[in-house]
């Protein structure tokens, strides 16, 4: 334990000296496999996953990240067995009640993106209350992607463009970003996917255009502060070229 503690402290100091990604998104995957490997019910994996949410949120806040977006439940996850969906909704409700004091005391603004009207009242009500009560906080924005799908977000954006009767010639990136659910959040710069899957599974499709992606084998219930720091360290070593040449980037 002392060795790990010292490694984390040193890594944190190094990572904090370099520019941090302005917005980190995490596809929190592998809860089911974590439980199945231990002969436990899948829901126990989700329960342990919510402990990782707490640890990672704390670590992000302490490090000084300004925006963290956690993919907690996809539009497609509604198709899972009803018992698992109901259990996940109970865990979300419990999470919102349990984390409320920490969010309120630490200057965190809680935000949510997704088809939120599909959520049951036991989740939607505490979510809306916490969103309202933390709206003026500025230290970090924690966004929960809940009942979220990137394609669903793009469809909703297209409907708003049509409803606003925008002149086709004036539709540009700004017009689109102003109508996405992520409107107002900083540009997504780093996405982490856990559990050894190499796909984006309908997460922030528009916003991913130039994000760096960090894949890790770690299952979400095992993911903690050290893993977050390693992902950010990986990001900090990348050369982001945005279509230009390496030489252009180095002289800029
Ligand atoms: C991620 O863990 C949580 C949700 C998608 C809700 P999974 O439940 O997808 O875990 P695996 O992929 O089956 O291991
Ligand atoms: C992605 O995980 C969604 C969340 C982490 C909430 P899934 O487990 O649903 O993704 P697939 O099915 O493996 O692509
Ligand atoms: Mg999964």
């Amino acid at each position: 334990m002392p060795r790990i503690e010292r490694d984390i402290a040193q890594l944190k100091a190094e990572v904090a000296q370099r520019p941090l990604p302005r917005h980190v998104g995490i596809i929190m995957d592998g809860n089911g496999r974590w439980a199945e490997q231990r002969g436990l019910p899948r829901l126990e994996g989700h329960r342990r996953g919510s402990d990782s949410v707490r640890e990672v949120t704390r670590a992000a806040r302490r490090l000084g990240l300004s925006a963290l977006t956690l993919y907690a439940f996809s539009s497609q996850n509604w198709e899972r067995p009803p018992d698992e969906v109901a259990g996940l909704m109970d865990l979300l409700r419990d999470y919102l009640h349990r984390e409320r004091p920490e969010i309120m005391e630490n200057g965190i603004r809680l935000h949510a993106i997704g088809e939120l009207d599909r959520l049951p009242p036991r989740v939607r009500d505490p979510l809306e209350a916490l969103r309202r009560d933390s709206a003026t906080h500025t230290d970090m924005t924690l966004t929960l992607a809940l009942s979220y799908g990137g394609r669903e977000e793009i469809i909703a954006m297209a409907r708003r463009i049509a409803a606003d009767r925008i002149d086709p010639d004036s539709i540009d990136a700004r017009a689109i970003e102003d109508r996405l659910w992520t409107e107002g959040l900083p540009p997504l710069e780093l996405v982490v996917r856990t559990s050894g899957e190499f796909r984006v599974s309908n997460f922030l499709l528009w916003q991913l255009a130039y994000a760096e992606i960090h894949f890790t084998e770690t299952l979400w219930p095992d993911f903690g502060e050290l893993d977050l720091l390693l992902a950010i360290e990986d990001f900090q070593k990348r050369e982001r070229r945005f279509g230009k040449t390496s030489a252009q980037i180095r002289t800029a």
Side-chain angles (χ1 to χ4, degrees):
M1 180 172 158
R3 192 186 69 84
I4 300 278
E5 286 301 317
R6 198 176 62 241
D7 285 350
I8 289 188
Q10 196 186 337
L11 183 59
K12 202 191 307 187
E14 284 167 19
V15 158
Q17 274 168 14
R18 295 185 288 260
L20 294 171
R22 281 176 289 178
H23 181 177
V24 177
I26 308 185
I27 304 172
M28 309 185 291
D29 199 12
N31 295 348
R33 277 163 285 167
W34 184 94
E36 282 155 16
Q37 284 170 7
R38 288 162 178 77
L40 297 169
R42 289 178 58 84
L43 217 50
E44 185 57 20
H46 296 311
R47 205 185 60 72
R48 290 292 298 262
S50 81
D51 294 339
S52 297
V53 169
R54 182 194 307 144
E55 180 177 340
V56 169
T57 302
R58 273 188 193 160
R61 170 71 183 82
R62 281 198 302 258
L63 189 64
L65 283 189
S66 58
L68 176 68
T69 296
L70 301 177
Y71 198 10
F73 191 83
S74 74
S75 297
Q76 288 66 36
N77 289 149
W78 290 112
E79 304 296 325
R80 291 193 178 192
D83 284 359
E84 180 166 345
V85 172
L88 279 163
M89 293 301 137
D90 288 345
L91 281 171
L92 278 165
R93 173 203 57 201
D94 296 347
Y95 167 84
L96 291 164
H97 288 293
R98 193 182 62 228
E99 298 309 311
R100 186 184 163 91
E102 179 142 348
I103 286 171
M104 292 305 293
E105 284 158 24
N106 285 286
I108 298 174
R109 177 171 82 101
L110 185 91
H111 185 48
I113 54 173
E115 302 170 307
L116 304 179
D117 52 356
R118 295 180 73 183
L119 294 168
R122 69 185 187 283
V123 175
R124 206 168 56 222
D125 294 348
L127 179 66
E128 281 311 319
L130 191 47
R131 183 144 83 146
R132 191 181 56 236
D133 296 343
S134 67
T136 57
H137 294 176
T138 53
D139 290 337
M140 182 174 89
T141 299
L142 170 64
T143 302
L144 301 179
L146 279 181
S147 187
Y148 174 85
R151 288 180 167 187
E152 286 73 8
E153 179 180 32
I154 288 170
I155 291 167
M157 175 276 293
R159 288 182 176 156
R160 288 181 63 188
I161 296 254
D164 291 345
R165 298 180 183 281
I166 313 276
D167 169 10
D169 291 332
S170 67
I171 299 175
D172 55 10
R174 178 70 197 273
I176 287 171
E177 281 167 2
D178 285 351
R179 289 168 181 81
L180 290 170
W181 292 329
T182 50
E183 188 268 318
L185 291 176
L188 184 70
E189 295 196 311
L190 171 63
V191 168
V192 177
R193 178 150 194 164
T194 64
S195 85
E197 305 292 355
F198 298 98
R199 53 177 173 264
V200 295
S201 300
N202 209 12
F203 186 52
L204 298 175
L205 298 179
W206 167 278
Q207 298 84 347
L208 263 158
Y210 273 101
E212 297 295 327
I213 309 184
H214 173 88
F215 293 102
T216 170
E217 296 285 328
T218 304
L219 303 175
W220 178 250
D222 291 327
F223 192 99
E225 178 171 31
L226 178 64
D227 305 272
L228 177 71
L229 293 169
L230 290 170
I232 296 174
E233 184 189 43
D234 184 21
F235 167 86
Q236 290 172 332
K237 288 180 182 156
R238 309 267 181 101
E239 181 182 63
R240 306 184 72 208
R241 291 194 284 275
F242 302 97
K244 295 182 181 167
T245 67
S246 190
Q248 284 177 297
I249 298 299
R250 277 183 275 113
T251 52

